[in-house]
Amino acid sequence: MSRSTDTATLRVTLLGTGTSTGVPVIGCSCRVCRSSDPRDRRTRCACYIEANGLGILIDTGPDFRQQALREGIRRLDAVLYTHHHFDHVAGIDDLRPFFFENSRPIPCYAPPNTARVLYRMFSYIFADGTYPGVPRLHLHAVEGPFEITSRYGDAARLRVEPIEVLHGQLPMYGYRIGHFAYLTDASQLPESSYERLQDLDVLVLDALRERPHPTHFSIDEAIQVARRIGARQTYFIHMTHDVLHAEVDARLPEGINLAYDGLQFTCRLTTS
Ligand SMILES: [Zn+2]
Ligand SMILES: [Zn+2]
């Protein structure tokens, strides 16, 4: 009997898919904020990845606690930060329960500019670290591909590749793991990043709303970028309350859809 090639897969859960205010917006009674479609309720963007037995988060926004409870997240080996805006980092202190049974520090990876800001914003975690009960986080400023190893004593490892994107004028990172890439908060991609985004099974991409915005792709801009990258499937995230899921999703081209909170999918981790 010939042994079939074992194609390892990674599993992605989109924890949140909304813009910085979340949807519904506090005090708003527009049709999207009042929508009864659960896909129109969007918590702040974050993503959980399971691959090679490891559990990895991208960003810890202000809704992280509720998202982790909702999805039953139990394992965490590393956090990848895309940039330092509040809607992507404010839940960092809620990483504490991951130390209740496992005191090993959690490595956090970030672009150098974001690492500097995180260090300042959360100095009680990163600078002194002596107060009992603070999360034990090791912050790494990364400028190229790196490897994550297990916090749980097994031999699991995983290669992660930062992908540079521009968020208005702010350089920040998306991340590629295997045939999956996650690009939030982007308004432009350098040429070198397009080269790193070939042969994707799934691309997750920022698409704020129909109208243009200085620091996020609009839906039409995101469609252009998604077509150029050519992933087998693209999901849009970071939508505002201008976007009614059923209406906008219905007009998107084949292979491109709006994401929603809790959406799960799998991708190839390796090619062979
Ligand atoms: Zn941002
Ligand atoms: Zn954002």
Side-chain angles (χ1 to χ4, degrees):
M1 194 178 88
S2 69
R3 217 173 118 226
S4 63
T5 313
D6 180 42
T7 305
T9 57
L10 63 87
R11 190 163 120 112
V12 177
T13 304
L14 296 180
L15 300 175
T17 59
T19 192
S20 54
T21 55
V23 180
V25 176
I26 293 173
C28 184
S29 53
C30 78
R31 64 182 186 136
V32 177
C33 289
R34 281 186 293 109
S35 165
S36 58
D37 184 341
R39 298 171 304 176
D40 286 320
R41 300 188 76 82
R42 305 181 181 115
T43 60
R44 270 60 71 87
C45 284
C47 171
Y48 183 64
I49 298 160
E50 295 158 277
N52 280 351
L54 299 173
I56 292 155
L57 270 172
I58 303 182
D59 291 335
T60 55
D63 298 313
F64 170 64
R65 176 174 173 274
Q66 292 300 337
Q67 294 164 339
L69 291 171
R70 188 190 74 212
E71 301 298 338
I73 295 177
R74 305 185 78 88
R75 175 164 182 152
L76 187 60
D77 295 279
V79 183
L80 315 179
Y81 282 105
T82 60
H83 67 308
H84 48 264
H85 286 164
F86 183 86
D87 57 321
H88 296 261
V89 304
I92 195 168
D93 202 77
D94 286 323
L95 292 171
R96 280 182 300 153
F98 291 99
F99 300 95
F100 290 168
E101 287 170 16
N102 176 357
S103 62
R104 290 178 206 185
I106 297 176
C108 300
Y109 300 88
N113 57 340
T114 287
R116 279 194 297 276
V117 178
L118 288 177
Y119 199 82
R120 210 172 54 227
M121 277 173 97
F122 300 105
S123 59
Y124 76 100
I125 296 173
F126 294 115
D128 58 49
T130 52
Y131 183 75
V134 299
R136 294 185 61 212
L137 307 178
H138 283 179
L139 185 58
H140 303 276
V142 284
E143 293 185 87
F146 55 94
E147 198 172 52
I148 292 171
T149 54
S150 171
R151 283 177 68 235
Y152 297 81
D154 51 72
R157 13 179 25 99
L158 188 66
R159 184 179 188 272
V160 177
E161 187 176 1
I163 306 288
E164 214 173 288
V165 306
L166 281 169
H167 184 18
Q169 302 293 311
L170 178 74
M172 54 168 277
Y173 286 166
Y175 291 98
R176 176 176 184 153
I177 301 175
H179 296 269
F180 168 64
Y182 183 88
L183 308 180
T184 188
D185 292 57
S187 54
Q188 202 189 322
L189 268 59
E191 277 307 307
S192 55
S193 294
Y194 281 102
E195 287 160 24
R196 296 193 171 92
L197 294 167
Q198 292 171 18
D199 195 21
L200 290 178
D201 289 344
V202 179
L203 168 68
V204 169
L205 182 64
D206 180 11
L208 189 74
R209 62 184 189 195
E210 306 276 7
R211 283 176 296 132
H213 187 278
T215 65
H216 293 269
F217 289 130
S218 67
I219 296 211
D220 284 335
E221 288 167 342
I223 291 171
Q224 299 307 313
V225 172
R227 283 196 160 130
R228 180 162 171 205
I229 293 171
R232 284 165 191 83
Q233 172 69 45
T234 299
Y235 290 113
F236 290 162
I237 57 165
H238 216 292
M239 286 81 69
T240 72
H241 65 153
D242 291 341
V243 177
L244 189 73
H245 187 103
E247 193 175 277
V248 174
D249 193 58
R251 79 159 182 90
L252 294 176
E254 178 89 37
I256 304 180
N257 291 94
L258 295 183
Y260 50 86
D261 287 23
L263 176 68
Q264 289 190 331
F265 51 84
T266 57
C267 295
R268 286 172 300 156
L269 181 56
T270 53
T271 308
S272 53

